[in-house]
Each structure stands twice: as C-alpha cells, then as structure tokens.
Amino acid sequence: MISALRYFISKQPVVFGICVAASLFTLFFAVQFLAHFIWMQDPANRDQSLEGWMRPRYVAMSWHVPPDVVREALELGPPPKERGREPLTMADIAVAQGVSLEQLTARVALAAEAFRTRHDR
C-alpha cells in the first residue's frame, strides 16, 4: 500500500494533490453539515423565542417552517436581491416596526402554528 502511494505521488503529483484537496474539501463540508444537523435536532434549539441577533432565515430553521412564512409573519417584503446587503436582525425589525421581540415571537408562533395545521405537522 505504501509503495503504491509513493509511486502515485512520484508519477502523478498534480493528480495526487487534486485528490487530497478534493478529499479535504469534502471532509470540511461533511463536518459542517453534521454540525448543523446535530444543532438543529436538539429540542432546545427548536421554536426558540426571538433574540436580537437572530436573522429571519435562522428563525425559519429553528421553527421548521419555510422562510416565506416567517417573512409574512414579520411583515417583511420580498427578500432583497442584492448579494452584498446584510440581512436584518430581529432587533432591527423590532425597532423599525416599533414592537418588542416578544410581540414578534408571538407573530411567528401564530404563523408557524397556522402553517403546521395546514400541512398536518
């Protein structure tokens, strides 16, 4: 096995480098996927009360509803098309609408419950 690896490295160093890079790339994204999957499967991370740092996309993942449901509940327009634009946080949305985070949480909870009853979840 070692002699075959040495032969491959000496005869095809570019191909070997590409294989190593592709393996590391795949490993990185597999670890990211597993970390995200484990985090979202924890019951403590489901249906969280809104906090100022949260963004609408995170809220949608936490509540297990499509992002459009959260956008409608928060009375946001369509998502911005610009790639460089920083998304709003829940604190930004609460200040802009003049409501508290608890009121936003109640809106999201109602919208999520309505979505779940419509889709039998």
Side-chain angles (χ1 to χ4, degrees):
M1 173 74 180
I2 300 292
S3 62
L5 187 59
R6 281 188 194 146
Y7 176 79
F8 188 62
I9 292 171
S10 67
K11 297 295 182 186
Q12 300 290 334
V14 174
V15 173
F16 180 76
I18 290 171
C19 288
V20 168
S23 298
L24 291 174
F25 187 76
T26 302
L27 181 64
F28 172 77
F29 283 105
V31 168
Q32 291 291 318
F33 171 77
L34 286 175
H36 178 78
F37 181 78
I38 291 168
W39 174 264
M40 290 316 251
Q41 294 304 315
D42 184 5
N45 297 322
R46 291 187 185 167
D47 297 352
Q48 293 179 325
S49 295
L50 302 187
E51 295 183 29
W53 60 267
M54 293 179 177
R55 302 197 186 282
R57 179 89 175 138
Y58 178 85
V59 173
M61 287 189 299
S62 172
W63 288 74
H64 293 276
V65 295
D68 294 337
V69 172
V70 174
R71 294 191 72 74
E72 287 175 18
L74 298 175
E75 299 173 0
L76 300 174
K81 298 271 189 228
E82 306 102 37
R83 297 284 279 166
R85 183 172 172 174
E86 185 69 19
L88 296 172
T89 62
M90 292 298 116
D92 297 335
I93 295 168
V95 168
Q97 294 181 1
V99 297
S100 67
L101 287 174
E102 290 80 22
Q103 291 170 321
L104 288 179
T105 301
R107 279 198 232 163
V108 170
L110 285 173
E113 188 61 34
F115 174 80
R116 290 172 183 156
T117 57
R118 280 194 316 259
H119 292 87
D120 298 322
R121 287 188 176 184

